[in-house]
């Protein structure tokens, strides 16, 4: 009989426990599909005594994940601890140096240290697989590295953080403000220990940086991702967007143009009738455009025990079958340092302003926009009962730097109250 593939799992939280359940409960199915048995030999976590809803008694226990990663009876180190550095990085490096393959769900570690780890793995003839690090159960990494390998990728975009999509869609459906739903998401356990990772766009930015590396053959450049969270999106913005046929999403976009590589994770308006516009709740969606295949849409659960554990198993099964693929789809040594685009491809923008209710206010706003090179497509002023008036403007296509110039100048007019809000409109 072919020798079993032996797993060492570090991290027994929701995802780790889910992986144990699949391996233990579907042993015959996995063996048939992999052509060899897949089994767990050892595990590691912070506490031995915690009830995780799975039987761990038949597995060796290591308190130190580095010790687990270097055990002789472990072929694949499965890193599910999380964290940019610390124990996760140390154990991953130890596993590679000890001759192990690695499967991880750790987007932060790969977004920051992915290039170095990939070089270490490939120099030793081993692999790092990370399907579970991006969009939960959606097979987007495999889609880019394998299914679309014959395409030049033109653009990758999507909703990659279910918590943000949950908050935004609940704001619209229930008429509740951001702060109320932020608290609700926390109580439901949807937020990271550091909630800014979710609502600040950082978590989704990590994922976008990884997909951009695969799509465009570049070294992972998380620092090049423009980040803006959803905390400034108001219920009024959501309602106004709906009036104009749009919905607001925290949207990640990576594309390469003559300006260089654009990577941005920002709240955007998308057509309400588009696949992205119809996305509800905690679901994720990734849209990929290739020169040969055109546009494809991948949609599914972006987090949770079952979907993420399923993604982990997909990587484990590839290794069990003997499939060997470079971490980011091509040898790490061939990845190039990306040239960061100094300005994004022009697009229409939604602007929300609060104006003092006095003659000439709109004229001053129009003058500032014109001086910045921003032309108005349509404008709407809402009724008011006090000394200020909300005004919404949709621009024609404009460069982001022109919008930023206008945003800096508008408060100096003496008629704009508070900080203006600008959201890009992704029409396609």
């Amino acid at each position: 009989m072919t020798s079993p593939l032996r797993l060492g799992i570090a991290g027994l939280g929701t995802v780790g426990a889910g992986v144990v359940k699949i391996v233990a409960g579907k042993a015959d199915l996995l063996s048939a599909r992999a052509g060899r048995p897949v089994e767990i030999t050892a595990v590691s976590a912070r506490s031995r005594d915690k009830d995780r809803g799975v039987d761990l008694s038949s597995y060796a226990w290591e308190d130190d994940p580095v010790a687990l990663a270097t055990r002789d009876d472990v072929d694949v180190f499965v890193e599910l601890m999380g964290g940019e550095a610390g124990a996760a990085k140390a154990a991953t490096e130890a596993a590679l140096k000890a001759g192990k393959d690695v499967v991880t769900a750790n987007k932060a570690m790969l977004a920051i240290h992915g290039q170095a780890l990939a070089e270490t793995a490939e120099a030793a003839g081993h692999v790092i697989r990370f399907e579970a690090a991006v969009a939960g159960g959606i097979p987007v990494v495999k889609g880019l590295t394998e299914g679309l390998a014959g395409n030049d990728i033109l653009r990758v975009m999507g909703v990659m953080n279910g918590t943000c999509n949950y908050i935004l869609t609940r704001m619209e459906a229930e008429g509740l403000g951001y702060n109320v739903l932020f608290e609700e998401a926390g109580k439901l356990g949807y937020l990271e220990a550091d909630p800014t990772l979710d609502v600040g766009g950082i978590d989704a930015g990590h994922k976008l940086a990884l997909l951009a590396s695969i799509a465009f053959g570049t070294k992972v450049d998380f620092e090049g991702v423009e980040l803006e969270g959803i905390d400034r999106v108001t219920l009024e913005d959501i309602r106004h967007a709906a009036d104009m046929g749009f919905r607001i999403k925290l949207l990640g976009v990576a594309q390469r143009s003559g300006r260089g590589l654009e990577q941005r994770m920002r709240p955007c308006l998308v057509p309400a009738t588009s696949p992205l516009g119809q996305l509800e709740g905690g679901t994720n969606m990734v849209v990929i455009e290739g020169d040969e295949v055109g546009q494809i849409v991948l949609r599914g659960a972006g987090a949770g025990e079952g979907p993420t554990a399923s993604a982990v198993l997909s990587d484990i099964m590839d290794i069990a079958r003997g499939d060997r693929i470079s971490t980011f789809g091509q040898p790490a040594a061939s990845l190039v340092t990306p040239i960061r685009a100094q300005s994004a491809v022009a697009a229409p923008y939604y602007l929300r302003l609060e104006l003092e209710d006095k003659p000439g206010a709109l004229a001053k706003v129009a003058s500032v926009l014109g001086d910045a090179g921003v032309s108005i497509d349509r404008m709407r002023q809402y009724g008011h009962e006090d000394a200020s008036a909300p005004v919404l403007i949709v621009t024609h296509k404009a460069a982001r730097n022109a919008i930023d110039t206008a945003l800096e100048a508008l408060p100096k007019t003496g008629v704009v109250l508070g900080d203006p809000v600008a959201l890009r409109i992704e029409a396609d």
Side-chain angles (χ1 to χ4, degrees):
M1 178 180 291
T2 303
S3 61
L5 184 74
R6 302 167 298 177
L7 311 177
I9 301 177
L12 295 170
T14 300
V15 178
V19 172
V20 173
K21 290 176 184 177
I22 294 175
V23 174
K26 299 183 177 180
D28 291 342
L29 177 65
L30 297 179
S31 179
R33 289 179 172 173
R36 62 191 293 194
V38 177
E39 60 185 40
I40 299 168
T41 54
V43 296
S44 178
R46 291 178 180 175
S47 171
R48 294 192 187 205
D49 301 326
K50 182 178 178 180
D51 181 7
R52 297 175 172 87
V54 292
D55 181 9
L56 303 173
S57 61
S58 61
Y59 313 134
W61 182 280
E62 293 283 0
D63 291 318
D64 181 2
V66 172
L68 172 70
T70 56
R71 286 177 64 103
D72 291 338
D73 59 354
V74 167
D75 302 311
V76 178
F77 176 61
V78 183
E79 188 281 302
L80 302 174
M81 296 178 287
E84 172 189 325
K89 180 172 179 283
T92 297
E93 291 173 333
L96 295 172
K97 292 176 182 177
K100 321 294 184 183
D101 294 322
V102 173
V103 172
T104 181
N106 193 333
K107 66 192 79 69
M109 179 179 72
L110 292 177
I112 305 301
H113 306 290
Q115 180 67 26
L117 291 171
E119 290 175 359
T120 298
E122 292 168 25
H126 297 291
V127 298
I128 301 174
R129 304 299 296 266
F130 60 94
E131 186 67 72
V134 182
I138 302 175
V140 61
V141 173
K142 186 180 289 287
L144 280 170
T145 55
E146 299 179 37
L148 301 178
N151 285 256
D152 282 326
I153 303 302
L154 308 176
R155 179 167 67 164
V156 178
M157 65 179 180
V159 171
M160 304 177 197
N161 184 277
T163 299
C164 288
N165 203 53
Y166 170 83
I167 291 174
L168 292 172
T169 54
R170 284 272 290 161
M171 286 173 71
E172 181 177 10
E174 304 297 331
L176 299 173
Y178 169 82
N179 290 333
V180 172
L181 287 165
F182 176 85
E183 292 182 6
E184 178 181 285
K187 291 177 182 177
L188 292 171
Y190 292 171
L191 292 171
E192 299 273 1
D194 177 1
T196 59
L197 293 175
D198 285 314
V199 298
I202 299 170
D203 168 85
H206 288 149
K207 300 171 186 177
L208 183 67
L210 297 176
L211 294 183
S213 175
I214 300 171
F216 303 113
T218 57
K219 296 178 181 179
V220 183
D221 183 25
F222 172 65
E223 291 185 358
V225 179
E226 298 177 16
L227 292 176
E228 181 181 341
I230 64 170
D231 56 309
R232 294 187 64 203
V233 176
T234 66
L235 184 58
E236 288 69 29
D237 289 325
I238 288 175
R239 287 172 172 165
H240 298 330
D243 286 346
M244 296 184 290
F246 295 102
R247 299 184 80 186
I248 297 177
K249 302 292 180 184
L250 180 66
L251 189 66
V253 179
Q255 63 187 56
R256 189 162 52 185
S257 69
R259 299 176 175 85
L261 178 63
E262 295 178 35
Q263 298 180 94
R264 55 182 181 274
M265 182 64 63
R266 295 177 178 270
C268 291
L269 275 68
V270 298
T273 56
S274 68
L276 286 164
Q278 297 178 56
L279 193 66
E280 299 286 341
T283 308
N284 282 195
M285 179 178 287
V286 180
V287 179
I288 304 171
E289 297 174 6
D291 64 337
E292 302 293 346
V293 75
Q295 185 182 88
I296 64 169
V297 178
L298 302 174
R299 177 185 181 277
E305 176 184 309
T308 310
S310 171
V312 172
L313 259 296
S314 75
D315 286 339
I316 291 171
M317 294 294 281
D318 280 349
I319 293 172
R321 296 180 183 119
D323 295 341
R324 319 294 290 180
I325 189 168
S326 300
T327 306
F328 297 106
Q330 64 185 66
S334 71
L335 298 174
V336 299
T337 300
I339 299 172
R340 297 175 185 172
Q342 297 302 307
S343 62
V345 171
Y349 280 82
Y350 158 96
L351 305 179
R352 172 171 55 82
L353 313 170
E354 193 76 18
L355 299 187
E356 288 191 10
D357 186 16
K358 60 184 183 182
L362 283 175
K364 289 184 178 181
V365 168
S367 177
V368 166
L369 292 175
D371 289 344
V374 178
S375 63
I376 297 173
D377 178 30
R378 48 186 160 141
M379 181 169 57
R380 181 176 297 177
Q381 183 170 356
Y382 285 79
H384 56 94
E385 297 179 355
D386 52 24
S388 65
V391 174
L392 305 181
I393 295 171
V394 174
T395 75
H396 288 290
K397 286 186 177 181
R400 179 69 202 198
N401 57 359
I403 295 292
D404 289 338
T405 297
L407 292 179
E408 184 178 353
L410 282 168
K412 300 174 184 177
T413 61
V415 298
V416 176
L417 304 174
D419 294 326
V421 170
L423 299 178
R424 184 183 173 99
I425 299 175
E426 289 286 353
D428 298 325

